[in-house]
Amino acid sequence: MAEHYESVVATDVSEGQLRHATAHPKVRYLHTPEHLSEDELVSLVGGEGSLDLVVVATSIHWFDVPLFYAVVSRALRKPGGMLAVWGYNYEIHPFEDALHGQLYPALRPYLDPRAGLAMERYRSLPFPFEPVGVGAEGAPADVDIEVEMTLEDLVGFLNTGSVVTTARAKGVDLEAVTRAALKRVEEQWGGAPTVPRKLVFKAFMLAGRPKC
């Protein structure tokens, strides 16, 4: 976003995440702990009507959504301000069958209910904003995100997912569960596991403006 805007305000509830953020002269990182009120959050990000665009990258399902929408509606510039939310799940081409078809059903018992919104592509996510041609409430737009990853990168990505960390926190070792699905991916990789190949995350997005 810093390549397209003069100033970017980046927020997270986790101070640890912010400590790992990449420094950039156009980006100001802010800690937004969960106890902050609506008024405090609006003030912290710049005040009423201060933002042209708010983007949430694969995390709105963890939010207090009504509070977030109230803050966004106040902080966005009127007219013209826009909210865009997007996410992804285990639908990763060309390994959808192994990951979404085999791995995800095995992990489902350990899934935080909030993450279920992402697993069903935000179709059930309330989105009370005026559509701008990129999805609408109940019908998110499909977005393909191409990335280059090695097999090790993909395994690392899967092993740090919220469902895996939730299971570990409950003392459940999912190694046996994940091994079978990842074995199928390895067999289909089509080259050395250290050689990057193009993968396509079958992502989804909703974008809109505050309603008058």
Side-chain angles (χ1 to χ4, degrees), residues 117-131:
L117 279 171
M119 294 304 167
E120 52 90 41
R121 304 181 65 81
Y122 286 172
R123 293 188 185 98
S124 299
L125 176 71
F127 197 74
F129 293 84
E130 195 67 40

Side-chain angles (χ1 to χ4, degrees), residues 169-182:
K170 295 179 179 179
V172 178
D173 185 359
L174 295 179
E175 184 178 351
V177 174
T178 60
R179 188 184 300 120
L182 292 176

Side-chain angles (χ1 to χ4, degrees), residues 49-93:
S50 62
L51 303 177
D52 295 296
L53 173 67
V54 174
V55 175
V56 184
T58 194
S59 58
I60 193 171
H61 47 281
W62 301 114
F63 289 9
D64 177 336
V65 174
L67 172 61
F68 172 69
Y69 284 163
V71 172
V72 166
S73 295
R74 292 174 57 185
L76 281 175
R77 177 172 54 84
K78 300 176 189 65
M82 186 183 304
L83 167 66
V85 304
W86 64 271
Y88 52 77
N89 53 34
Y90 292 115
E91 294 182 59
I92 305 173
H93 182 77

